């Protein structure tokens, strides 16, 4: 039931007509309280969409009563009218659900630079407000899909409380959250500071470790709202754990549904001196188009892994690096010792595990990425046409 | 005549059998003097191939008598035997051409992690040494080709002296020189320090501005040798200018022959506060897979340009940025003013010019890149198989 798994929330998803396909494109998630604590994190892209500019301001006081989301338009770099559309949509949600516009976060996804049709969006919001329900989570999750092929929902349970969430995103997944809209709800009693800490803990090791194509969105938003409807005060550590489980679950779903991907590649780095080194090395490999194209061809080309490692500033010596692919150690000590034959590596399945052992320290990290395929090129060369 | 355009040089290219195709794969360029000043720059990848490890040492004294190059194997991360093969090839060249092994630079290109067959390489070197000639430049340029579809050669003339060069490289072109082997010769009289300054000036604004797929090679090498055969001492500024012209010419040839490219994209950034800002912004756009896939689809998707700009640390404000594509200003003032319609942009030709005006300062820079195509994916997923 995703965002309506937790008590105190209603949601809806409707087809307003923003998408030419006629598919659902406006979602609304309302927190009926009794509490309205909230936290959010946003894209680190310096070119931000109007809904991000708006929502960054609304979250400052740690309070939200609703989130309105639309697919079918990013509302980004389309002139001053775009920001006014975001503002107007928040005002309308507040009017319809009984709150203040500044307590309504707004999320949009779609093409940059195109006008977002305000009358259509507003009609959609009115329609969604009319069908808000305590089991509207799946409809909301459906309405935020763009090139997603499946809905993304997750739930985790705590001691007397629940955390649920929904996400969209299949391309542009990258550092620091990329076109990804995520709404997470809980009925635990928790203040905004606790929610903020839990959310940042969770995203750092989940969405931030997903890097399917190295591109960063202008619209990424992850919102966490707490209704307090369970009446149970959550232990901060337990809450952070549950939020992390939901984020990890959603991140894996985004990974498996990445645009055009034929392989889900987990780049794991061990033996790093620092966690930051491990992340840097894993991300460098995840961003090598040559490596990702090789995986598409089921080719265990570990030289391209090594070449990517060499572009980093991490502490390592080339002749100490071991690389294994799907359990076969194809490179030992940077090639100075005989590795197992590349022919023993089977990359024909969906899952690819690349393990890079720097043999320098005790830190580890993993980045989730995808292969570079004809389908990725096709989907992204034909997206706006 | 490329590397043999300048007096004092002989070259050769032969088919030794390192390539399964039977195409030429060993090249030799010999400086007959009377002078032997030289300079070189190498990949900044920290995982370096054996020939790079060797050549970095040979260039320390600013003197080279020959360069031996092979395609059909990168001689990289293939164990201690690989370095010995590099060493042995330099010794053999020295023996055959009358010099010292430490005055022979070695360059290799091909697959990483594979043994390089020493007897075949040595037989090739012997064969090449026998056919060295003052018009052997084209044969040498032919022998270093891998996925290149055409030879790359260039010549520039000075006041009484000549600069000539050859290059290979079609994939993995990236920051700080990527799999690219370049040999440049001149008959000017110039010392090693002058050559080094000229070469670094030239590569900074040419090869370093070529970034076709963001991947950095383990083998990049650019060598400049001066024979002094003209007897004319070159003005340092004029020599740097001529070397820069040759490097720019070769870089453009590499760009036009990039693996799988359908469009040659020049990303020009103007109005930057610093040159470094301009380069950072242009490179960020050049590395956006989403933008590059859109260009492949002839889609002037300027939102993806803006999203890439937003990932940089350059001084800019989104609402001041203008973007034009092939002369059409599709984005004015970050979308706050009406741009020309995207439909007016014609991307059907080979050449694509993207101009990003940050409107902040007076600095400018350009990066040359390629679109992301099915052919790129195909070529790089099937490369080693």
């Amino acid at each position: 039931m995703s965002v309506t798994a937790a008590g105190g929330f209603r949601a809806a998803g409707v087809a307003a007509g923003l998408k030419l396909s006629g598919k659902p494109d406006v979602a609304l998630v309302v927190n009926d309280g009794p509490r309205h604590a909230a936290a959010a994190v946003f894209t680190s892209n310096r070119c931000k969409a109007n809904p991000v500019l708006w929502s960054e301001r609304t979250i400052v006081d740690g309070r939200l009563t609703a989130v309105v989301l639309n697919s079918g338009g990013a509302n980004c770099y389309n002139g001053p009218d775009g920001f006014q559309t975001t503002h107007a949509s928040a005002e309308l949600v507040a009017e319809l659900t009984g709150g203040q516009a500044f307590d309504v976060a707004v999320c949009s996804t779609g093409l940059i630079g195109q006008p977002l049709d305000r009358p259509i969006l507003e009609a959609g919001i009115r329609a969604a407000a009319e069908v808000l329900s305590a089991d509207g989570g799946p409809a909301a999750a459906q309405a935020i899909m763009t090139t997603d092929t499946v809905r993304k929902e997750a739930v985790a349970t705590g001691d007397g409380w629940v955390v649920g969430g929904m996400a969209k995103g299949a391309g542009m997944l990258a550092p620091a959250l990329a076109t990804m809209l995520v709404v997470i709800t809980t009925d635990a009693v928790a203040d905004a500071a606790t929610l903020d800490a839990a959310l940042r803990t969770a995203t750092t090791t989940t969405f931030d470790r997903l890097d399917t194509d190295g591109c960063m969105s202008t619209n990424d938003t992850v919102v966490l709202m707490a209704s307090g409807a369970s009446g149970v005060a959550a232990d901060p550590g337990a809450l952070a754990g549950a939020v992390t489980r939901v984020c990890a679950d959603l991140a894996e779903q985004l990974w498996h549904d990445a645009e055009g991907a034929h392989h889900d590649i987990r780049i794991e780095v061990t033996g790093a001196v620092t966690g930051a080194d491990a992340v840097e090395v894993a991300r460098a490999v995840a961003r090598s188009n040559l490596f990702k194209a090789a995986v598409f061809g089921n080719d265990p080309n570990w030289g391209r892994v090594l070449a990517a490692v060499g572009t980093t500033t991490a502490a390592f010596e080339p002749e100490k690096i071991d690389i294994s692919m799907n359990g076969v150690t194809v490179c030992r000590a940077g090639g100075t010792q005989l590795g197992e034959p590349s022919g023993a590596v089977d990359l024909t399945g969906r899952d690819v595990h690349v393990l890079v052992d720097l043999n320098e320290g005790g830190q580890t990290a993993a980045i989730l990425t995808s292969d570079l395929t004809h389908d990725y090129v096709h989907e992204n060369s034909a997206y706006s046409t």
Side-chain angles (χ1 to χ4, degrees), chain A:
Chain A
M1 291 207 300
S2 76
V3 291
T4 46
F9 291 93
R10 288 176 299 148
V14 300
L18 295 169
K19 283 179 179 166
L20 294 177
S21 65
K23 290 184 179 172
D25 47 18
V26 172
L28 191 54
V29 182
V30 174
N31 178 359
D32 290 322
R35 294 168 179 268
H36 298 92
V41 292
F42 302 95
T43 181
S44 53
N45 199 309
R46 293 170 60 205
C47 290
K48 297 178 201 299
N50 293 309
V52 172
L53 294 171
W54 170 266
S55 299
E56 282 181 336
R57 286 166 180 73
T58 66
I59 200 63
V60 169
D61 64 357
R63 176 184 161 87
L64 288 178
T65 58
V67 183
V68 58
L69 312 93
N70 75 274
S71 50
N75 196 6
C76 182
Y77 294 101
N78 49 9
D81 196 54
F83 189 80
Q84 289 165 21
T85 296
T86 290
H87 183 187
S89 63
E91 291 281 3
L92 180 59
V93 170
E95 176 193 324
L96 296 171
T97 62
Q100 301 294 321
F102 269 120
D103 291 332
V104 179
V106 182
C107 301
S108 300
T109 179
L111 265 181
I112 299 173
Q114 304 292 314
L116 183 62
D117 191 298
R118 196 182 306 175
I120 292 179
L121 176 62
E122 291 184 339
I125 291 170
R126 289 180 191 280
E130 283 179 16
V131 295
L132 280 168
S133 83
D135 54 10
Q142 187 84 31
I144 59 175
M145 289 168 59
T146 54
T147 55
D148 305 69
T149 64
V150 292
R151 286 199 314 266
K152 283 92 174 177
E153 302 167 290
V155 174
T157 52
D159 187 10
W161 43 268
V162 170
V163 176
M166 67 177 186
K168 69 78 48 179
M172 258 182 149
L173 302 175
L177 324 165
T179 293
M180 192 167 51
L181 302 181
V182 181
V183 178
I184 303 164
T185 56
T186 180
D187 50 10
V189 174
D191 62 18
T194 302
L195 296 178
D196 187 70
L199 188 60
R200 289 179 194 280
T201 297
T203 56
T204 300
T205 55
T206 56
F207 298 123
D208 281 351
R209 298 287 169 84
L210 184 64
D211 193 337
T212 65
D213 67 2
C215 292
M216 191 193 294
S217 165
T218 51
N219 288 55
D220 295 330
T221 303
V222 183
V223 174
L224 170 60
M225 297 189 287
S227 68
S230 69
V232 179
D235 169 73
L239 182 63
V243 173
T244 299
R245 287 199 301 280
V246 166
C247 289
D249 190 340
L250 292 172
E252 293 241 344
Q253 293 179 50
L254 293 168
W255 180 40
H256 296 316
D257 197 27
E259 276 181 357
H262 290 208
H263 291 87
D264 299 336
I265 311 172
R266 185 187 297 267
I267 315 283
E268 187 178 354
V269 174
T270 60
V273 173
T274 67
D277 275 6
V279 171
E280 184 189 2
V281 169
R283 201 181 291 285
V285 176
R287 292 200 176 169
S288 165
N289 279 350
L290 287 174
F291 163 69
K292 288 151 71 99
V295 172
F296 169 58
N298 299 331
D299 173 12
N301 193 323
W302 59 266
R304 293 175 177 178
V305 175
L306 208 60
V309 175
T311 65
T312 71
T313 62
F316 75 85
E317 292 170 39
E319 57 281 1
K320 288 169 72 176
I321 296 174
D322 297 327
I323 300 171
S324 71
M325 299 179 79
N326 281 358
V328 179
T329 307
V330 285
C331 172
R332 278 190 212 280
T336 60
Q337 294 171 26
L338 197 63
E340 295 176 65
S342 292
V345 180
D346 181 4
L347 298 182
T348 56
R350 176 94 190 180
D351 295 328
V352 174
H353 177 224
V354 177
L355 180 63
V356 179
D357 191 342
L358 300 177
N359 285 304
E360 293 285 349
Q363 298 301 307
T364 182
I367 293 282
L368 310 180
T369 190
S370 310
D371 52 349
L372 179 58
T373 70
H374 290 299
D375 290 338
Y376 177 88
V377 172
H378 175 75
E379 198 157 341
N380 287 297
S381 60
Y383 183 75
S384 77
T385 51

